[in-house]
Amino acid sequence: MIRLFNHYLSVRLLLLTALEAFVVFQSVVLGFDLREANPRGDSPLLEATTFTAVMLLSMSALGLYQIHAEPFRTTVHRLLIAYGLALLCVSLVFYLFPETYIGRGVLAWSTLLALASVLLLRTVFFRLTDVGLPKRRVLVLGNGAEAEEVIRYLHEGASRKSVQYAGLYPVMPDASESREALKLSHDGLRHTVEELRVSEIVVAVRERRGGVLPLRRLLDCRLRGIKVMDLQSFYEREQGVLHIDNMRASWMIFGNGFGQSFTRDVVKRLFDVGVSLALIVLTLPLLLVAMIAIVIESGMPILYTQERVGEGGRRFRIVKLRTMVQNAEADGKPRWAGLRDARITRVGACLRRTRIDELPQLWNVLRGDMSFVGPRPERPYFVEQLTEKIPFYDVRHSVKPGVTGWAQVRHTYTSTVEEGMVKLQYDLYYVKNHSLFLDLMILVETVQVVLLGKGAR
């Protein structure tokens, strides 16, 4: 894993992306040569770069650059859908920028070569890297539930591609009982690290006071190039979450992240306005069709407004297409939308599955109530409940809520307090590491959520 713009990225997938960019680019160049479509003899640099960029973005949007492994048939299905999406996007690019146009014959050859090359490359790449790619050998230092949880994660299939469990080095929970035994335990750490060829140490200890941790030995390991991480940093890197169970206010105060700046606010605002205006123009016909369908099935009103909690705890009214029957909460008691909720209309179910019902929120973005990317805003009734039961819940209100977010592309729909706690861990990761780069990544992954209907209810 490497950290780029505050976000962790897999070296394995970065290498795969670079290789696939190369083969797709060369496929376009070879397509021009086979059709002899460039009589000037110039290299089709612009055309090949455009097609490669669109193809890689489409593949990213369909989840082809996620860490978890999947069957070959699923990869083929995703790749074909990604190609269909790429054709639509590249046609729009050809219309807007005629100089990037690729003839049908060249495009057919380029596509055939690109799809075959990508499938062959992925087959060879994953087999070679599964066997030959060096893995980070992780020693877990600790005891109890925290250490067991880390060990369980290291044995999971998704994590075994890049990390390897080296062993457990227990620490004594009560240092006052035996100082001599504690000293021997500390002195044995270096020998264990050398014997197990450890490259990383994860400190899985809840209580660190009383000389429990071998701080001097850990410093020696750090100076020898062995990475030493606490639980919070380990899960942040590996899972893209901040675990609430291991969260400390001091870690949030003195650690990196959770930064706000005027420059970041200006850049994000320009990003929000630009993306929202573009989507309003592109989706206006779809929005009109959805409105007509709502009227035909269940009459007026078409739009639905609801009070939500935004940045700094400020309340505002969110705008959505109505997806439930009229007077869905006639008793006046707010409640989560459940799986196969009887209050949701047939048209509403389709709108929720495709996220079309969220499009009117672009107006909230233009008004400044929301950002395009950020934690999803909740209703005041649920915010009060969740704030009382979940520590650090109000931290998510330090940034503007979003139409889409890190939790939306990485987690499912939330309908209970327990699920709200899991979702908060993703929201906290975004609040800590938010950047334009992460916003762009979330925007691309949102396409997969819309096309595949992930997490919709």
Side-chain angles (χ1 to χ4, degrees), residues 24-25 28 44-57 86 89-94 97 99-102:
V24 172
F25 183 92
V28 179
L45 179 62
L46 180 61
E47 296 91 335
T49 301
T50 301
F51 182 81
T52 301
V54 172
M55 191 65 189
L56 291 182
L57 284 174
C89 294
V90 83
S91 299
L92 178 62
V93 173
F94 291 162
F97 306 98
E99 62 273 14
T100 64
Y101 178 74
I102 300 176

Side-chain angles (χ1 to χ4, degrees), residues 103-146:
R104 287 177 295 179
V106 176
L107 189 60
W109 273 109
S110 301
T111 299
L112 181 62
L113 292 170
L115 292 178
S117 300
V118 167
L119 285 175
L120 177 61
L121 173 64
R122 282 180 169 256
T123 302
V124 175
F125 179 85
F126 285 122
R127 289 186 178 179
L128 290 178
T129 55
D130 284 349
V131 176
L133 191 69
K135 297 181 180 180
R136 291 171 279 123
R137 290 180 56 80
V138 178
L139 175 70
V140 181
L141 188 148
N143 52 52
E146 290 79 11

Side-chain angles (χ1 to χ4, degrees), residues 230 232-233 236 242 246-256 258 432:
D230 59 10
Q232 198 61 264
S233 300
E236 179 185 4
L242 298 185
N246 308 306
M247 185 79 74
R248 291 181 176 86
S250 59
W251 185 85
M252 301 171 69
I253 295 170
F254 297 111
N256 296 324
F258 296 104
K432 180 179 185 292

Side-chain angles (χ1 to χ4, degrees), residues 45-73:
L45 179 62
L46 180 61
E47 296 91 335
T49 301
T50 301
F51 182 81
T52 301
V54 172
M55 191 65 189
L56 291 182
L57 284 174
S58 299
M59 292 170 64
S60 298
L62 266 295
L64 284 164
Y65 292 111
Q66 294 183 0
I67 296 178
H68 63 269
E70 60 183 10
F72 180 76
R73 180 180 297 180

Side-chain angles (χ1 to χ4, degrees), residues 46-344:
L46 180 61
E47 296 91 335
T49 301
T50 301
F51 182 81
T52 301
V54 172
M55 191 65 189
L56 291 182
L57 284 174
S58 299
M59 292 170 64
S60 298
L62 266 295
L64 284 164
Y65 292 111
Q66 294 183 0
I67 296 178
H68 63 269
E70 60 183 10
F72 180 76
R73 180 180 297 180
T74 304
T75 299
V76 174
H77 289 169
R78 287 181 184 266
L79 189 58
L80 291 177
I81 297 174
Y83 170 65
L85 179 63
L87 274 185
L88 293 175
C89 294
V90 83
S91 299
L92 178 62
V93 173
F94 291 162
Y95 176 77
L96 296 175
F97 306 98
E99 62 273 14
T100 64
Y101 178 74
I102 300 176
R104 287 177 295 179
V106 176
L107 189 60
W109 273 109
S110 301
T111 299
L112 181 62
L113 292 170
L115 292 178
S117 300
V118 167
L119 285 175
L120 177 61
L121 173 64
R122 282 180 169 256
T123 302
V124 175
F125 179 85
F126 285 122
R127 289 186 178 179
L128 290 178
T129 55
D130 284 349
V131 176
L133 191 69
K135 297 181 180 180
R136 291 171 279 123
R137 290 180 56 80
V138 178
L139 175 70
V140 181
L141 188 148
N143 52 52
E146 290 79 11
E148 292 176 3
E149 185 179 359
V150 175
I151 294 172
R152 186 162 51 248
Y153 171 78
L154 292 173
H155 282 98
E156 290 178 355
S159 64
R160 286 187 308 204
K161 303 295 183 182
S162 57
V163 295
Q164 185 177 34
Y165 173 60
L168 171 68
Y169 193 85
V171 296
M172 299 182 63
D174 188 358
S176 62
E177 291 185 3
S178 176
R179 291 289 177 180
E180 186 63 29
L182 184 63
K183 183 178 183 302
L184 292 174
S185 174
H186 288 190
D187 291 340
L189 178 61
R190 180 174 180 177
H191 174 72
T192 302
V193 167
E194 293 175 349
E195 183 179 9
L196 297 179
R197 295 176 289 110
V198 172
S199 55
E200 289 186 5
I201 299 175
V202 177
V203 180
V205 178
R206 181 180 292 272
E207 181 56 61
R208 302 180 183 181
R209 294 174 297 182
V212 173
L213 290 181
L215 296 179
R216 180 61 195 178
R217 299 295 177 261
L218 288 174
L219 177 59
D220 291 341
C221 292
R222 178 77 179 270
L223 295 176
R224 292 170 55 208
I226 298 171
K227 193 173 185 64
V228 180
M229 307 183 72
D230 59 10
L231 277 175
Q232 198 61 264
S233 300
F234 176 76
Y235 286 123
E236 179 185 4
R237 184 190 68 182
E238 296 294 328
Q239 298 180 329
V241 300
L242 298 185
H243 274 211
I244 300 175
D245 293 341
N246 308 306
M247 185 79 74
R248 291 181 176 86
S250 59
W251 185 85
M252 301 171 69
I253 295 170
F254 297 111
N256 296 324
F258 296 104
Q260 308 289 342
S261 68
F262 176 77
T263 302
R264 166 61 179 156
D265 291 342
V266 171
V267 171
K268 189 171 180 64
R269 183 60 183 158
L270 292 175
F271 173 81
D272 291 339
V273 173
V275 172
S276 298
L277 289 175
L279 280 178
I280 288 174
V281 173
L282 291 174
T283 62
L284 185 58
L286 190 62
L287 189 58
L288 292 175
V289 172
M291 289 179 172
I292 294 172
I294 292 173
V295 173
I296 293 175
E297 182 184 33
S298 55
M300 300 290 283
I302 298 173
L303 298 177
Y304 176 69
T305 65
Q306 193 176 72
E307 191 176 46
R308 298 292 176 97
V309 178
E311 184 180 18
R314 184 177 63 86
R315 299 188 181 190
F316 68 98
R317 298 200 71 82
I318 200 172
V319 185
K320 301 177 66 175
L321 291 177
R322 182 171 60 83
T323 58
M324 291 188 176
V325 298
Q326 299 185 33
N327 299 319
E329 292 180 350
D331 57 0
K333 183 179 180 180
R335 51 185 179 272
W336 304 96
L339 190 62
R340 291 185 291 274
D341 197 314
R343 299 172 297 165
I344 301 175

